[in-house]
């Protein structure tokens, strides 16, 4: 045994590296094991960050061609894809090096390699062995696929592949209308691809408030992203420079349906990275889908071994993993800590953005919870008009007795920023009236939130 640590963290993504840094700040001796050569996990290396870089670049190009004229600006626009990708890669490199710098600053030790349990709190990395007083599993997840479809890294790709095309596809099919699928559809559609999105469920972003999802679908459709819901894909085959995708007929007895495109992105969820950890040596068993069961303190069946983020299922969000990681570490340090799962926001970074927190109307109706609702449109906001961002709304669901917010849903420019106010209100238990009575600067998009809160009580001013 080479050393005993207060905490060993498996994985250096937004759950793992945040856990390690916070633990070191609290005086713990920490070791992080990461199998990839760069720190940051999927989110930073091949997920959240590079996708947002591409979204920003493609949106600027799209608006240059489609919107600048109305401002009296005349320019010619073209895309240098290699330079666009280089910018994305540079951002990722800077941030991964930044995490390495934070590890050094906080005296967090880092070992590169694949971690395997050899006992309840002992980890082997190659020929070396390490022991921890506590262990946090934050190994993340990887893209899933469908039966009959295999990634080939060229024509049939996962989200990582869709971040690195060396040419703009003439046409692209995306299977899955979740956050990743819609974001990648937006990137390549803006850059010139003909994009078709196929979703098995009856709405985009399954689990999203239905009214919100329908509005977002209509807006994305006007951007010439073709979206079909209720499509059960049965297979895909690459032949030369094209891919044929097949699905069941619309009705029983109908012939199979088929689409053809140059590239296929399969974005149908993620699978936890738990198979190679040798969890049985720690006395841990996964469920049927590979997720690690944990209790209310995020502790596994093995005392002192915890799991956070994608490996435990639930919302697969970077910020959820980070909050869970901090909560575990704070409790290990003897402090009180918890995660308010009812107030975790989720965002889809399309244009317009889609953001939500709390319950949907459908969930409240299913649970038999009484509620009142109201929404306020972007079109009635001066700042939105100035930004040419008139499509969208802020929708609030509230308890009719306590006036507390049960859920909030936004479609519109900067929805991901605006949702933070409503998430905070939910976290601290503020009432809708409190949000409505809070002074919001004018002219700002945040006034849409204020007006939606006023509208819950029938008091909206600007509509």
């Amino acid at each position: 045994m080479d050393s005993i640590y207060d905490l060993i963290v498996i994985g250096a993504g937004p759950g793992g590296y945040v856990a390690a840094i916070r633990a070191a700040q609290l005086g713990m001796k920490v070791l992080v094991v990461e199998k990839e050569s760069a720190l940051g996990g999927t989110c930073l290396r091949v997920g959240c960050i590079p996708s947002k870089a591409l979204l920003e670049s493609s949106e600027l190009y799209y608006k240059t061609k489609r919107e600048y004229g109305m401002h009296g600006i005349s320019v010619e626009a073209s895309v240098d894809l290699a330079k666009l990708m280089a910018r994305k890669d540079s951002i990722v490199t800077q941030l991964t090096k930044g995490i390495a710098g934070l590890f050094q600053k906080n005296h967090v030790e880092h070992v590169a390699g694949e971690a395997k349990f050899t006992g309840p709190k002992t980890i082997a990395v190659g020929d070396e062995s390490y022991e921890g007083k506590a262990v946090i599993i934050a190994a993340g997840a990887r893209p899933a696929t469908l039966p009959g479809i295999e990634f080939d890294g060229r024509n049939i790709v996962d989200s990582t592949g869709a971040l690195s095309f060396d040419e703009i596809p003439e046409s692209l099919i995306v299977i899955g209308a979740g956050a990743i699928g819609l974001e990648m559809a937006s990137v390549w559609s803006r850059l010139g691809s003909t994009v078709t999105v196929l979703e098995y469920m009856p709405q985009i972003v399954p689990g999203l408030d239905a009214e919100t999802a329908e509005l977002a679908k209509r807006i994305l459709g006007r951007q010439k992203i073709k979206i079909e819901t209720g499509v059960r894909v049965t297979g895909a085959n690459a032949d030369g420079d094209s891919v044929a995708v097949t699905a069941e007929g619309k009705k029983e007895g109908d012939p199979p349906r088929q689409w053809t495109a140059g590239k296929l992105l399969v974005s149908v969820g993620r699978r936890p990275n738990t198979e190679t950890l040798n969890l049985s040596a720690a006395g841990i068993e996964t469920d049927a889908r590979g997720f690690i069961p944990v209790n209310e303190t995020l502790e596994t069946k093995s005392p002192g071994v915890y799991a956070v983020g994608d490996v435990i299922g639930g919302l697969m969000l970077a910020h959820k993993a980070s909050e869970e990681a901090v909560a575990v570490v704070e409790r290990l340090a003897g402090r009180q800590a918890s995660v308010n799962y009812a107030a975790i926001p989720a965002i889809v970074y399309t244009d317009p953005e889609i953001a939500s927190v709390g319950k949907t109307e459908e969930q409240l109706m299913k649970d038999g919870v009484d509620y009142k609702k109201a929404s306020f449109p972007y079109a009635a906001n001066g700042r939105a008009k100035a930004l040419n961002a008139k499509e969208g709304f802020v929708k609030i669901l509230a308890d009719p007795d306590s006036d507390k917010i049960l859920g909030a849903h936004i479609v519109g420019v900067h929805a991901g920023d605006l949702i933070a106010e409503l998430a905070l209100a939910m976290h601290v238990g503020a009432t809708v009236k409190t949000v409505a009575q809070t002074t919001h600067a004018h002219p700002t998009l945040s006034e849409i939130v204020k007006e939606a809160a006023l509208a819950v009580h029938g008091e909206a001013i600007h509509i």
Side-chain angles (χ1 to χ4, degrees):
M1 199 70 62
D2 293 333
S3 186
I4 297 178
Y5 293 84
D6 295 311
L7 177 64
I8 296 176
V9 182
I10 300 174
Y17 83 74
V18 169
I21 291 171
R22 183 61 186 139
Q25 289 174 342
L26 292 172
M28 299 182 199
K29 181 180 180 182
V30 184
L31 173 70
V32 175
V33 182
E34 170 56 54
K35 66 179 181 179
E36 300 293 341
S37 57
L39 302 174
T42 294
C43 178
L44 197 159
R45 295 182 303 102
V46 290
C48 314
I49 300 303
S51 65
K52 302 313 165 284
L54 293 185
L55 282 161
E56 179 67 17
S57 296
S58 63
E59 184 178 347
L60 287 173
Y61 173 67
Y62 184 84
K63 287 187 174 181
T64 300
K65 294 189 69 174
R66 302 294 182 92
E67 295 186 14
Y68 281 13
M70 70 177 63
H71 295 279
I73 302 171
S74 297
V75 293
E76 292 292 329
S78 61
V79 174
D80 183 335
L81 187 62
K83 191 170 184 178
L84 187 150
M85 290 294 181
R87 173 183 178 272
K88 177 257 296 182
D89 294 340
S90 174
I91 292 169
V92 170
T93 299
Q94 291 173 47
L95 291 173
T96 56
K97 288 183 177 179
I99 294 174
L102 289 171
F103 275 10
Q104 185 175 17
K105 174 185 175 182
N106 289 281
H107 307 292
V108 172
E109 294 185 41
H110 165 224
V111 172
E114 191 167 71
K116 293 182 182 295
F117 279 95
T118 56
K121 297 177 190 174
T122 55
I123 305 293
V125 184
D127 295 330
E128 304 297 327
S129 184
Y130 306 91
E131 181 178 355
K133 296 176 183 177
V135 176
I136 295 178
I137 304 170
R142 64 191 183 281
T145 189
L146 294 171
I149 301 179
E150 294 184 8
F151 300 122
D152 63 15
R154 180 173 177 270
N155 296 99
I156 303 175
V157 301
D158 58 16
S159 55
T160 301
L163 289 167
S164 302
F165 290 148
D166 55 11
E167 294 181 349
I168 298 171
E170 183 176 335
S171 54
L172 171 68
I173 294 171
V174 179
I175 301 176
I180 296 172
L182 291 178
E183 289 175 8
M184 289 296 95
S186 294
V187 166
W188 295 109
S189 174
R190 293 169 186 168
L191 295 177
S193 298
T194 299
V195 179
T196 301
V197 180
L198 308 176
E199 169 56 50
Y200 172 71
M201 299 299 285
Q203 69 170 54
I204 67 170
V205 195
L208 184 68
D209 178 83
E211 182 183 17
T212 305
E214 184 57 34
L215 174 59
K217 181 184 176 183
R218 290 200 303 270
I219 297 172
L220 292 173
R222 289 197 285 272
Q223 297 173 13
K224 308 217 180 287
I225 298 174
K226 185 178 181 181
I227 301 174
E228 292 200 41
T229 55
V231 177
R232 188 177 188 276
V233 172
T234 55
N237 290 290
D239 183 10
D241 292 327
S242 68
V243 181
V245 176
T246 56
E248 291 181 347
K250 286 188 175 182
K251 298 179 182 178
E252 187 175 350
D254 285 354
R257 305 178 70 195
Q258 183 167 304
W259 298 262
T260 303
K263 301 285 186 183
L264 170 64
L265 163 60
V266 181
S267 180
V268 292
R270 302 182 64 79
R271 298 174 56 190
N273 293 323
T274 53
E275 297 100 322
T276 63
L277 294 174
N278 195 31
L279 292 171
S280 60
I284 300 170
E285 295 180 356
T286 65
D287 66 15
R289 296 182 297 163
F291 293 108
I292 300 174
V294 294
N295 62 20
E296 66 279 359
T297 67
L298 301 168
E299 190 173 30
T300 69
K301 184 179 179 181
S302 179
V305 179
Y306 301 82
V308 302
D310 291 358
V311 294
I312 66 172
L315 292 172
M316 288 192 169
L317 300 170
H319 45 284
K320 177 247 193 191
S322 295
E323 293 301 323
E324 288 174 336
V326 170
V328 170
V329 169
E330 294 278 340
R331 285 193 290 260
L332 288 174
R335 302 184 176 200
Q336 295 293 319
S338 62
V339 179
N340 184 355
Y341 289 100
I344 296 177
I347 304 162
V348 183
Y349 293 88
T350 47
D351 181 20
E353 293 177 355
I354 309 164
S356 63
V357 63
K359 299 290 188 178
T360 67
E361 277 199 74
E362 292 69 39
Q363 289 171 325
L364 294 175
M365 287 187 285
K366 180 181 177 181
D367 295 340
V369 176
D370 193 19
Y371 67 95
K372 54 186 177 180
K373 73 169 184 176
S375 62
F376 191 85
Y378 270 62
N381 175 265
R383 178 65 172 156
K385 287 182 181 293
L387 291 170
N388 191 39
K390 296 174 287 186
E391 294 186 300
F393 66 23
V394 173
K395 173 179 175 179
I396 296 175
L397 308 172
D399 185 295
D401 296 321
S402 69
D403 198 39
K404 291 184 178 180
I405 300 169
L406 302 173
H409 309 278
I410 306 176
V411 177
V413 170
H414 294 300
D417 300 311
L418 297 181
I419 201 70
E421 176 182 358
L422 295 166
L424 175 62
M426 291 182 66
H427 182 70
V428 300
T431 63
V432 174
K433 183 70 76 174
T434 297
V435 175
Q437 292 176 340
T438 299
T439 301
H440 291 66
H442 175 77
T444 63
L445 295 175
S446 68
E447 290 175 286
I448 308 172
V449 175
K450 177 182 177 73
E451 291 274 12
L454 286 166
V456 171
H457 297 286
E459 298 171 352
I461 301 296
H462 291 94
I463 196 169

